[in-house]
Amino acid sequence: MSGIYGINVKMSIYGESHGTSIGMIVDGLPPGLKLDLAAIEMEMLRRAPGQNQLSTQRRENDSFAIQSGFFDGYTTGTPLCVVIKNSDQHSKDYSILKDKMRPGHADYAGYVKYKGYNDYRGGGHFSGRLTAPLVFIGAVAKQVLKEYGILVGAHIFSIGNIKDKAFNQLGVGDKLFKELQRKAFCVIDDVIGNRMQENILKAKEAMNSVGGIVECMVLHIPAGIGAPYFDSLESHLSHALFSVPAVKAVEFGDGFDITRLTGAEANDEMNYVNGEVQTLTNHNGGITGGITNGMPVVFRVGIKPTPSIGREQHTVSIGGQCNTTLAVSGRHDPCIVPRAVPAIEAVTAWIVLDLLLEAKKLER
Amino acid sequence: MSGIYGINVKMSIYGESHGTSIGMIVDGLPPGLKLDLAAIEMEMLRRAPGQNQLSTQRRENDSFAIQSGFFDGYTTGTPLCVVIKNSDQHSKDYSILKDKMRPGHADYAGYVKYKGYNDYRGGGHFSGRLTAPLVFIGAVAKQVLKEYGILVGAHIFSIGNIKDKAFNQLGVGDKLFKELQRKAFCVIDDVIGNRMQENILKAKEAMNSVGGIVECMVLHIPAGIGAPYFDSLESHLSHALFSVPAVKAVEFGDGFDITRLTGAEANDEMNYVNGEVQTLTNHNGGITGGITNGMPVVFRVGIKPTPSIGREQHTVSIGGQCNTTLAVSGRHDPCIVPRAVPAIEAVTAWIVLDLLLEAKKLER
Amino acid sequence: MSGIYGINVKMSIYGESHGTSIGMIVDGLPPGLKLDLAAIEMEMLRRAPGQNQLSTQRRENDSFAIQSGFFDGYTTGTPLCVVIKNSDQHSKDYSILKDKMRPGHADYAGYVKYKGYNDYRGGGHFSGRLTAPLVFIGAVAKQVLKEYGILVGAHIFSIGNIKDKAFNQLGVGDKLFKELQRKAFCVIDDVIGNRMQENILKAKEAMNSVGGIVECMVLHIPAGIGAPYFDSLESHLSHALFSVPAVKAVEFGDGFDITRLTGAEANDEMNYVNGEVQTLTNHNGGITGGITNGMPVVFRVGIKPTPSIGREQHTVSIGGQCNTTLAVSGRHDPCIVPRAVPAIEAVTAWIVLDLLLEAKKLER
Amino acid sequence: MSGIYGINVKMSIYGESHGTSIGMIVDGLPPGLKLDLAAIEMEMLRRAPGQNQLSTQRRENDSFAIQSGFFDGYTTGTPLCVVIKNSDQHSKDYSILKDKMRPGHADYAGYVKYKGYNDYRGGGHFSGRLTAPLVFIGAVAKQVLKEYGILVGAHIFSIGNIKDKAFNQLGVGDKLFKELQRKAFCVIDDVIGNRMQENILKAKEAMNSVGGIVECMVLHIPAGIGAPYFDSLESHLSHALFSVPAVKAVEFGDGFDITRLTGAEANDEMNYVNGEVQTLTNHNGGITGGITNGMPVVFRVGIKPTPSIGREQHTVSIGGQCNTTLAVSGRHDPCIVPRAVPAIEAVTAWIVLDLLLEAKKLER
């Protein structure tokens, strides 16, 4: 299998880049949720391609058509199905890819897994285009979380070696999240953001691509969400995050850096502030023992440079069973990181909602 | 929930550090597998505490008693239950922890989640002791994987800032794995290993602790294992790895470093070698699109310094709802990384077996 | 949740009777299956309404549009999504049902569960119309099962008190199945079938409805499919069968009648026939200990009379919180049993395929 | 797989009749539940063998040892593991069964599924003895349900052709349930019960066995529990009920009899009684559209005669691949129905709790 996840809010995704449509079924949403469709559209637009020179020139407005589970402005509680039509496909661009495997891509792994029957056009089912349904469910999840006061935000933490400011883990407020969501290029420091954009355009000109890191935070999440072992918040978040194409690394709190601290440095000391337990630092990123401790949940996600590049590279011809070279033509993103930001936020909101419902279930 | 995972080989774990026993049920093992009990015992011993000064002085031989699913030397195909008795508990050591929350530990998060009803003695259900059942299932999985020629190995990649050699991803052979598994301190370069051990002992003397990174590799795994999106090998591996207590970061292939490469550098170019598709480099760690591509699977896991330290730290008293300090007495590991190595190997073997069976299912 | 089931071939359904469309995602089909679309259409037609006086006059051709997972005539192995547009809705017919609960229907139970937010038009998500996606997956499953020589067939066993011949459990062959699938009114004995049809039309004239029993059989299914306890074939089949609207009873083999036999009568004695183990009788319906024993799997499914009838009945007004009466106008089936036959076959084929793949997984 | 079920309260069972122990892990119980161990023991005793001439002479006190998830008298919310030691095994009695397949039993089906590796002693994993863990979880579930005022009760509805009174579905109160649970032979009408017992003893003397039907009811269950389609209460209950060994039929409400009513007769008309919606009849057994409607949930379960009988029957020798005969010696129940009553109640209580928690999850 490949396309179903979630304990309480289950998502089934489907679709290929050049098929009739992509979409999903969400099962487990509570009934009576008044969906703000304009807000969902805005989230979809943040991810949509073709908006500037930094992304692929494929134009998809990603307009969605809700098929079910939504009636008179409210969720019904039954499965909610969303269909997003594919429109601006140039399938011919991809015909060569039936035979030549793109280095760094899923082409060869998919060819073996699906025994050559998979739709190779535009990456088929592997296409980053399938993050659109993820953004939809994330947008809905954000609306539910807002009822509980929980906010999810992310920014481009780095492009190549250029780094944005980090979320000041204890001082960041809701205001920054709102600003970030309005920005066309989602960084805290716009001067650094300009350098990042130049870097991306330079790679584009050089028929190359660049990667980067996204930092994400969940604010006002209560303590007690998650579980030890297999339902840890870290397990579920990483499971969903590694489902986003191109993600190669996930770290919570200080992540790999915490391995270089001593226990005395790494332990987040605790105290009461206005009757609430807080920690003085947040090296653990708001999660201990797989469960939230009341501090902001913070993590970083490493995203590799787009594998589709115009430069010629060595690869194999599956039909000829011989070596060859390939320069990937067609439209592609010189850097997928900016468009990954809303996808990262989306899977985060979904998983947090999923485990929030899990916790509610046990209340008596 | 917290204790069940796996698609095809499902594991249910149970137990608290100071309860009657810990253990698990494994469901989905094929019948007719001749279990090498001595090999399982050896794996359990690699993880067991009390073997040297580097680990807690609690002595547990972790001898397991198979209750079911094993008959006349072979697995029966029915659920296999393993019970590991708790023996050398000093429960009094922990009585203070009912009230004082250990910084960096799950104590407070667990208190909130379980509304104060959880067994606080020795970390209760959160105890690293529950990796023993994980090692058991891993040892069984390794035996099945060996039938398919697949090998799993790991080593201590770093302790604090001291780094071992990295697995030479394309040159490492089965021989190194055998050597590593026999080593009391599991590093490639023993000179570096000695420095690491000194570092750990120094931390112990200073009533402090240190963390580190484990590197793990799967050799001879065929292409086609995993899936795009939610059943990606990266999703399942990270899900299981973040279930291991103290893990805060997971990266595949070059991981966070790949974000600093360009596409031209990061893409693993392909060619035919003796009729088989291989890549010239392995920046992607053997996984593209969530599916193995035939190259070794390589990843690193960041483990935080043990939170239980003898130094006094600020924390809260839950009963008194006031601030206080705590110096954790009792027996604890100054560094959990060496004992984490077999646990990391184990969950890896289990998950690889799980997705291997998933792939087999679809063969026609 | 309500809409996902299956271990290996997972189905997610969605849709409301008067929404934009109904449909499903199937996850876990093997790649490379050449779909016979004409055969699928024929199965869909067997279930479709509006074909004669025995069923509702709503006309739906139930033409399906595959959105994904199907490329160049073959399944790709990725999720297969099917959309079936709703067309001939007369939503006004149903407006009164927002307030008045139809006796025998899900209206009140659904109102409470979904807190009044569910789509009440035409039964909404509860509509028998959602068996169309079930028939689709069943048609695909039948094609895979045929590769293994496994056949699924069913017939109308009774309408009210009028009974068809029973499947002669040991003598029935493939030929009868083919005949049955071509019949407009699916009974073994057409003379009895005529009496059944008269009975249905008489009920229709009397603004009433009738129920009946469907008998289903799986031929040439090998021994060893299923499991003890929670993955028993009986557990999974009944789970899926009770998902079909209006089903109130399921019995395997002799079912309730076996409770009136002694052990000496009920036990199916065994012998070797041409080197294969067979039983002399089949009181157990081909399943012992939850696992197939190599004999035909036989079971019966009790279907209640359609609750929507033209006669006036006592019921409640939810808005007025008072008692009232209701005569259900609009188009409805005087007997749902004939259209249930392909749905019963379909869920059977799906579940048998699901557990067949489960068994294959464990082969070494 | 075979041994894990439940959405919110997941149960993993393990064990073989003649292995070291049988037992289970329950995952998903709320923390802070004060377990009444004496009440659990009483439930276990209701199922335990060796209490009178009606059951097998194997004596097992079925005393359980809780391993985890229970601390200071309360559930902790972590996985609760229970171990029940096997003690009074006479394994030699069964050695012949390695070769000779008992007619009506799972022996042959299990032999094929497990490729000859399963533990054949005493039915191994297929043994009715594994209903003991089911009774444990049921006893715990009953205690949680009682907090919500929900009661579960059952009685022997028939033995062979001898029928007890049916639950007067609308008039039965809590008092009858208490009486029934105290009775050694669990019928409403003790005179009929005496005839049933004579019938069972007669079968025993004749080296034969008899079957029967259990009727079960859930009182005071609120409307809105369950879901349409795959999470219908009927789907989940039947799934669990068919997991109980020897169950061959399940019907809700009037069950197969409802197929012989017209819609006008079968529809349960509704009215307000003291501000609550009730139905005048309960032909649907309290469930419409897969969801409770506020009326008592009623169903019947058909249980076949015990296959192990002393009479000689035709069967096969697997080793010799030839025909032979078998008279099953050893200790066995001439009728399993009385001991099935607590098992039926138990799985019912468990599933009702499971879906009750599911409904709670969606409350906002």
Side-chain angles (χ1 to χ4, degrees):
Chain A
M1 297 155 306
S2 62
I4 305 178
Y5 195 64
I7 307 176
N8 301 294
V9 180
K10 288 190 193 280
M11 178 180 192
S12 309
I13 50 166
Y14 78 86
E16 280 92 30
S17 179
H18 291 223
T20 308
S21 70
I22 62 171
M24 61 151 176
I25 301 174
V26 193
D27 202 1
L29 289 175
L33 179 67
K34 191 173 174 66
L35 290 188
D36 179 345
L37 296 181
I40 297 174
E41 270 164 29
M42 211 189 71
E43 286 289 320
M44 298 295 279
L45 206 63
R46 287 177 71 202
R47 194 215 70 90
Q51 301 184 79
N52 56 40
Q53 286 190 300
L54 298 173
S55 72
T56 169
Q57 293 310 297
R58 175 170 175 173
R59 296 196 166 279
E60 290 281 7
N61 58 6
D62 282 353
S63 66
F64 53 86
I66 300 180
Q67 305 293 304
S68 66
F70 183 67
F71 181 55
D72 277 353
Y74 293 87
T75 57
T76 59
T78 59
L80 190 153
C81 177
V82 172
V83 166
I84 301 165
K85 290 272 175 211
N86 289 323
S87 51
D88 187 29
Q89 306 110 315
H90 291 189
S91 296
K92 277 186 199 159
D93 287 356
Y94 293 96
S95 56
I96 198 175
L97 303 181
K98 185 176 182 175
D99 180 49
K100 289 192 181 182
M101 307 285 101
R102 290 171 297 175
H105 255 293
D107 295 1
Y108 175 66
Y111 174 85
V112 174
K113 178 179 177 70
Y114 297 116
K115 299 169 177 59
Y117 289 103
N118 57 316
D119 182 351
Y120 51 83
R121 298 169 303 166
H125 185 56
F126 293 89
S127 168
R129 184 156 167 65
L130 268 85
T131 53
L134 291 174
V135 170
F136 184 97
I137 195 177
V140 173
K142 280 180 180 179
Q143 296 186 18
V144 187
L145 291 180
K146 209 191 254 174
E147 291 186 12
Y148 294 90
I150 303 171
L151 299 174
V152 176
H155 70 117
I156 302 168
F157 180 73
S158 68
I159 297 293
N161 283 304
I162 310 166
K163 274 194 192 171
D164 191 16
K165 286 172 183 151
F167 278 137
N168 179 330
Q169 298 174 356
L170 302 175
V172 162
D174 316 0
K175 207 181 128 208
L176 177 60
F177 279 14
K178 275 191 196 143
E179 281 171 30
L180 283 171
Q181 280 168 19
R182 272 196 297 266
K183 287 189 183 183
F185 192 82
C186 188
V187 285
I188 297 176
D189 183 330
D190 293 334
V191 176
I192 295 171
N194 287 338
R195 284 177 48 211
M196 289 175 173
Q197 294 181 64
E198 283 162 24
N199 187 257
I200 295 172
L201 289 174
K202 215 172 67 184
K204 189 183 178 185
E205 278 163 39
M207 297 197 297
N208 206 340
S209 64
V210 287
I213 298 173
V214 172
E215 188 179 44
C216 186
M217 176 153 41
V218 187
L219 282 174
H220 314 313
I221 185 169
I225 308 302
Y229 303 99
F230 309 127
D231 286 324
S232 83
L233 180 53
E234 287 145 322
S235 288
H236 279 286
L237 273 177
S238 67
H239 193 127
L241 291 166
F242 278 115
S243 300
V244 176
V247 170
K248 297 301 283 184
V250 171
E251 61 178 7
F252 293 87
D254 288 359
F256 281 107
D257 283 345
I258 207 173
T259 71
R260 289 178 275 273
L261 301 182
T262 66
E265 295 160 335
N267 287 341
D268 297 307
E269 296 186 273
M270 286 183 273
N271 66 351
Y272 273 100
V273 177
N274 299 326
E276 291 212 339
V277 173
Q278 292 193 0
T279 58
L280 303 176
T281 51
N282 193 13
H283 298 292
N284 282 284
I287 308 173
T288 42
I291 302 171
T292 54
N293 61 14
M295 300 306 293
V297 168
V298 193
F299 56 90
R300 273 166 304 283
V301 181
I303 294 165
K304 71 178 183 181
T306 327
S308 293
I309 57 174
R311 294 214 193 160
E312 193 169 83
Q313 293 185 288
H314 293 96
T315 192
V316 295
S317 152
I318 285 293
Q321 299 221 331
C322 62
N323 295 330
T324 181
T325 59
L326 173 67
V328 183
S329 62
R331 304 161 299 176
H332 29 73
D333 294 85
C335 181
I336 201 67
V337 179
R339 292 178 58 206
V341 171
I344 300 293
E345 285 180 21
V347 298
T348 303
W350 163 39
I351 294 301
V352 167
L353 174 61
D354 198 67
L355 293 186
L356 185 75
L357 293 180
E358 188 68 14
K360 273 172 57 72
K361 189 176 74 186
L362 295 180
E363 285 167 13
R364 290 193 303 154
Chain B
M1 297 154 307
S2 62
I4 304 179
Y5 196 63
I7 307 177
N8 301 293
V9 180
K10 288 191 194 279
M11 177 179 193
S12 310
I13 49 166
Y14 77 86
E16 279 91 30
S17 179
H18 290 224
T20 309
S21 70
I22 62 171
M24 61 152 175
I25 302 174
V26 193
D27 202 2
L29 289 175
L33 178 69
K34 192 174 172 65
L35 290 187
D36 180 345
L37 296 182
I40 296 172
E41 271 164 27
M42 212 189 69
E43 287 289 321
M44 298 295 278
L45 206 63
R46 287 177 70 203
R47 193 216 70 90
Q51 300 184 81
N52 56 40
Q53 288 191 296
L54 298 173
S55 71
T56 168
Q57 292 309 297
R58 175 170 175 172
R59 297 196 166 279
E60 289 282 6
N61 57 5
D62 282 352
S63 65
F64 54 84
I66 300 180
Q67 304 293 305
S68 67
F70 183 66
F71 182 54
D72 277 356
Y74 292 87
T75 57
T76 58
T78 58
L80 191 153
C81 176
V82 172
V83 166
I84 302 165
K85 290 271 176 211
N86 288 325
S87 50
D88 187 28
Q89 306 111 310
H90 291 189
S91 297
K92 278 186 199 156
D93 288 356
Y94 292 96
S95 55
I96 197 175
L97 303 182
K98 185 177 181 175
D99 179 49
K100 289 191 183 184
M101 307 286 101
R102 290 171 298 175
H105 255 294
D107 295 0
Y108 176 67
Y111 174 86
V112 174
K113 179 181 176 68
Y114 298 116
K115 298 167 178 61
Y117 289 102
N118 57 316
D119 182 351
Y120 52 82
R121 299 168 304 166
H125 185 54
F126 292 89
S127 168
R129 185 157 166 65
L130 268 85
T131 53
L134 291 173
V135 170
F136 184 96
I137 196 177
V140 173
K142 280 181 180 178
Q143 296 186 20
V144 186
L145 291 179
K146 210 191 252 174
E147 291 186 12
Y148 294 90
I150 302 171
L151 299 174
V152 176
H155 70 118
I156 302 168
F157 180 73
S158 69
I159 295 293
N161 283 302
I162 310 166
K163 275 194 191 172
D164 192 16
K165 285 171 185 153
F167 278 137
N168 179 330
Q169 298 174 357
L170 302 174
V172 161
D174 317 0
K175 207 182 128 208
L176 177 60
F177 278 13
K178 276 190 194 143
E179 282 171 30
L180 283 170
Q181 281 168 18
R182 271 196 298 265
K183 288 188 182 182
F185 192 82
C186 189
V187 285
I188 297 176
D189 183 328
D190 292 334
V191 176
I192 295 171
N194 286 337
R195 284 178 48 213
M196 289 175 174
Q197 294 181 63
E198 284 161 23
N199 187 257
I200 296 172
L201 290 174
K202 216 173 67 185
K204 188 183 178 184
E205 278 163 39
M207 297 195 298
N208 208 340
S209 65
V210 287
I213 299 173
V214 172
E215 189 180 44
C216 185
M217 177 153 42
V218 187
L219 283 173
H220 315 312
I221 185 168
I225 307 303
Y229 303 98
F230 310 127
D231 285 324
S232 82
L233 180 52
E234 287 145 320
S235 288
H236 279 287
L237 273 176
S238 67
H239 194 128
L241 290 165
F242 278 115
S243 301
V244 176
V247 169
K248 296 302 283 185
V250 171
E251 60 178 8
F252 293 88
D254 288 0
F256 281 106
D257 283 345
I258 207 173
T259 70
R260 288 178 274 273
L261 301 181
T262 67
E265 294 160 336
N267 287 342
D268 297 307
E269 295 186 276
M270 286 184 273
N271 67 350
Y272 274 100
V273 177
N274 300 326
E276 291 212 340
V277 173
Q278 291 192 0
T279 58
L280 304 175
T281 51
N282 194 13
H283 297 293
N284 282 285
I287 308 173
T288 41
I291 302 171
T292 55
N293 61 16
M295 301 306 293
V297 168
V298 193
F299 57 90
R300 272 166 305 283
V301 180
I303 294 165
K304 72 178 182 182
T306 326
S308 293
I309 56 174
R311 294 213 193 161
E312 194 168 83
Q313 291 185 291
H314 293 96
T315 191
V316 296
S317 151
I318 285 293
Q321 300 223 329
C322 62
N323 295 329
T324 181
T325 59
L326 174 67
V328 183
S329 61
R331 306 161 299 176
H332 29 73
D333 294 85
C335 182
I336 202 67
V337 180
R339 293 177 59 205
V341 171
I344 300 293
E345 286 180 20
V347 297
T348 303
W350 164 37
I351 295 300
V352 167
L353 174 61
D354 197 68
L355 293 186
L356 185 76
L357 293 180
E358 188 69 14
K360 274 172 57 72
K361 189 176 72 185
L362 295 180
E363 285 167 14
R364 289 193 303 154
Chain C
M1 298 155 303
S2 63
I4 304 179
Y5 196 62
I7 307 176
N8 301 293
V9 180
K10 287 191 194 278
M11 177 181 193
S12 310
I13 50 166
Y14 77 87
E16 279 91 30
S17 179
H18 290 224
T20 309
S21 71
I22 61 171
M24 61 153 175
I25 301 173
V26 194
D27 201 2
L29 289 175
L33 179 68
K34 192 174 172 66
L35 290 188
D36 180 345
L37 296 182
I40 296 173
E41 271 165 27
M42 213 189 68
E43 286 289 320
M44 297 296 278
L45 205 63
R46 288 177 70 203
R47 194 215 69 90
Q51 301 184 80
N52 58 41
Q53 289 191 296
L54 298 173
S55 72
T56 168
Q57 293 310 295
R58 175 170 174 172
R59 295 195 168 281
E60 289 282 7
N61 57 5
D62 283 352
S63 65
F64 53 84
I66 300 181
Q67 304 293 306
S68 67
F70 183 65
F71 181 55
D72 277 355
Y74 292 86
T75 57
T76 59
T78 58
L80 190 153
C81 177
V82 172
V83 166
I84 301 165
K85 290 271 174 210
N86 288 324
S87 50
D88 187 28
Q89 306 111 311
H90 292 188
S91 296
K92 278 186 199 157
D93 287 358
Y94 292 95
S95 54
I96 198 175
L97 303 180
K98 184 177 182 175
D99 179 49
K100 289 191 180 184
M101 308 284 101
R102 291 170 298 174
H105 255 293
D107 295 0
Y108 176 67
Y111 174 86
V112 174
K113 179 179 177 68
Y114 298 116
K115 300 168 177 58
Y117 289 102
N118 57 314
D119 182 352
Y120 52 82
R121 297 168 304 164
H125 185 56
F126 292 89
S127 168
R129 185 157 166 65
L130 268 85
T131 54
L134 291 173
V135 170
F136 184 96
I137 196 178
V140 172
K142 280 180 179 179
Q143 296 186 18
V144 186
L145 291 179
K146 209 190 253 173
E147 290 186 14
Y148 294 90
I150 302 171
L151 299 173
V152 175
H155 70 117
I156 302 168
F157 180 73
S158 69
I159 295 293
N161 284 303
I162 310 166
K163 274 193 191 172
D164 192 15
K165 285 171 184 153
F167 279 137
N168 179 329
Q169 298 173 356
L170 303 175
V172 162
D174 317 358
K175 208 181 127 207
L176 177 60
F177 278 13
K178 277 191 194 143
E179 282 171 30
L180 283 170
Q181 280 168 17
R182 273 196 296 265
K183 287 188 181 181
F185 193 82
C186 188
V187 285
I188 298 175
D189 183 328
D190 293 334
V191 176
I192 295 171
N194 287 336
R195 283 177 48 213
M196 289 175 173
Q197 295 181 64
E198 285 162 21
N199 187 258
I200 294 172
L201 290 174
K202 217 173 66 185
K204 187 184 178 183
E205 278 163 37
M207 297 195 297
N208 207 341
S209 64
V210 287
I213 299 173
V214 172
E215 189 179 44
C216 185
M217 177 152 44
V218 187
L219 282 173
H220 314 313
I221 184 168
I225 307 302
Y229 303 97
F230 311 126
D231 286 323
S232 83
L233 180 52
E234 288 145 320
S235 288
H236 279 286
L237 273 176
S238 68
H239 193 129
L241 291 165
F242 278 114
S243 300
V244 176
V247 169
K248 296 302 283 186
V250 170
E251 60 178 7
F252 293 88
D254 288 359
F256 281 105
D257 283 346
I258 207 173
T259 71
R260 289 177 276 273
L261 301 182
T262 65
E265 294 159 336
N267 287 341
D268 298 306
E269 295 186 275
M270 286 183 274
N271 66 351
Y272 274 100
V273 177
N274 300 326
E276 292 212 341
V277 173
Q278 291 193 359
T279 59
L280 303 175
T281 51
N282 193 13
H283 298 293
N284 282 284
I287 308 173
T288 42
I291 302 171
T292 55
N293 61 15
M295 301 305 293
V297 168
V298 194
F299 57 90
R300 273 166 305 284
V301 180
I303 293 164
K304 71 178 183 182
T306 326
S308 293
I309 57 174
R311 293 215 193 158
E312 194 169 83
Q313 291 185 291
H314 294 95
T315 191
V316 295
S317 151
I318 285 293
Q321 299 223 330
C322 64
N323 295 329
T324 181
T325 61
L326 174 69
V328 183
S329 61
R331 305 160 300 177
H332 28 72
D333 296 85
C335 182
I336 201 67
V337 180
R339 292 178 59 207
V341 171
I344 301 292
E345 286 180 20
V347 297
T348 303
W350 163 38
I351 295 299
V352 167
L353 174 61
D354 197 67
L355 293 186
L356 185 76
L357 293 180
E358 187 69 13
K360 275 172 57 71
K361 188 177 72 185
L362 295 179
E363 285 166 14
R364 288 193 303 153
Chain D
M1 298 155 307
S2 63
I4 304 178
Y5 195 64
I7 307 177
N8 301 293
V9 180
K10 288 191 194 279
M11 177 179 192
S12 311
I13 49 166
Y14 78 85
E16 279 92 30
S17 179
H18 290 224
T20 308
S21 71
I22 62 171
M24 61 153 174
I25 301 174
V26 194
D27 202 2
L29 289 175
L33 179 68
K34 191 174 174 67
L35 290 187
D36 180 345
L37 296 181
I40 297 173
E41 271 164 27
M42 212 189 69
E43 286 291 319
M44 299 295 280
L45 205 64
R46 288 176 70 202
R47 193 216 69 91
Q51 301 185 80
N52 56 41
Q53 288 191 297
L54 299 173
S55 72
T56 168
Q57 293 310 297
R58 174 170 177 174
R59 295 194 168 280
E60 289 282 8
N61 57 6
D62 283 351
S63 65
F64 53 86
I66 300 180
Q67 304 293 305
S68 67
F70 183 66
F71 181 55
D72 276 355
Y74 292 88
T75 57
T76 59
T78 59
L80 190 153
C81 176
V82 172
V83 166
I84 301 165
K85 291 270 173 212
N86 288 324
S87 51
D88 188 29
Q89 306 110 314
H90 292 190
S91 297
K92 278 187 198 156
D93 287 357
Y94 292 96
S95 56
I96 197 175
L97 303 181
K98 185 176 181 174
D99 180 49
K100 290 191 180 183
M101 307 285 101
R102 290 170 299 175
H105 256 292
D107 295 1
Y108 175 66
Y111 174 85
V112 174
K113 178 179 178 69
Y114 298 115
K115 298 168 177 62
Y117 288 103
N118 57 315
D119 182 351
Y120 51 83
R121 299 168 303 164
H125 184 56
F126 293 89
S127 168
R129 185 156 166 65
L130 268 84
T131 53
L134 291 174
V135 170
F136 184 95
I137 195 178
V140 173
K142 279 179 180 180
Q143 296 186 18
V144 187
L145 292 179
K146 208 190 255 174
E147 290 186 13
Y148 295 89
I150 303 171
L151 299 173
V152 176
H155 69 117
I156 302 168
F157 180 73
S158 69
I159 295 293
N161 284 304
I162 309 166
K163 274 194 192 170
D164 192 16
K165 286 171 184 152
F167 278 137
N168 179 329
Q169 297 173 356
L170 302 175
V172 161
D174 316 359
K175 208 182 127 208
L176 178 60
F177 278 13
K178 276 190 194 143
E179 282 171 31
L180 283 170
Q181 281 169 18
R182 274 195 296 265
K183 287 188 182 184
F185 193 82
C186 188
V187 285
I188 297 176
D189 184 329
D190 292 334
V191 178
I192 295 171
N194 287 336
R195 285 178 48 214
M196 288 176 173
Q197 293 181 64
E198 284 162 22
N199 186 259
I200 294 172
L201 290 173
K202 217 174 67 186
K204 187 184 178 184
E205 278 163 37
M207 297 197 296
N208 208 341
S209 64
V210 287
I213 298 173
V214 172
E215 188 180 45
C216 186
M217 177 152 43
V218 187
L219 282 173
H220 314 314
I221 185 169
I225 308 302
Y229 303 98
F230 310 127
D231 285 324
S232 84
L233 180 54
E234 287 145 321
S235 288
H236 279 286
L237 273 177
S238 68
H239 193 129
L241 291 165
F242 278 116
S243 300
V244 176
V247 169
K248 296 301 284 185
V250 171
E251 60 178 9
F252 292 88
D254 288 0
F256 281 107
D257 283 345
I258 207 173
T259 71
R260 289 178 275 274
L261 302 181
T262 65
E265 294 160 336
N267 288 341
D268 297 307
E269 296 187 273
M270 286 183 273
N271 66 352
Y272 273 100
V273 177
N274 299 327
E276 291 212 340
V277 174
Q278 291 194 358
T279 60
L280 303 175
T281 51
N282 193 13
H283 298 292
N284 282 284
I287 308 174
T288 41
I291 302 171
T292 54
N293 61 15
M295 301 305 294
V297 168
V298 194
F299 57 90
R300 273 165 305 282
V301 180
I303 294 164
K304 72 178 182 180
T306 326
S308 292
I309 57 174
R311 294 214 193 159
E312 193 169 84
Q313 292 185 290
H314 294 96
T315 191
V316 296
S317 152
I318 285 292
Q321 298 223 332
C322 63
N323 295 329
T324 181
T325 59
L326 173 68
V328 183
S329 62
R331 305 160 300 175
H332 28 72
D333 296 83
C335 181
I336 201 66
V337 180
R339 292 178 58 206
V341 171
I344 300 293
E345 285 180 20
V347 298
T348 303
W350 163 38
I351 295 300
V352 167
L353 174 61
D354 197 67
L355 292 186
L356 185 76
L357 293 180
E358 188 70 13
K360 274 172 56 71
K361 188 177 73 186
L362 295 180
E363 285 167 12
R364 290 193 302 152

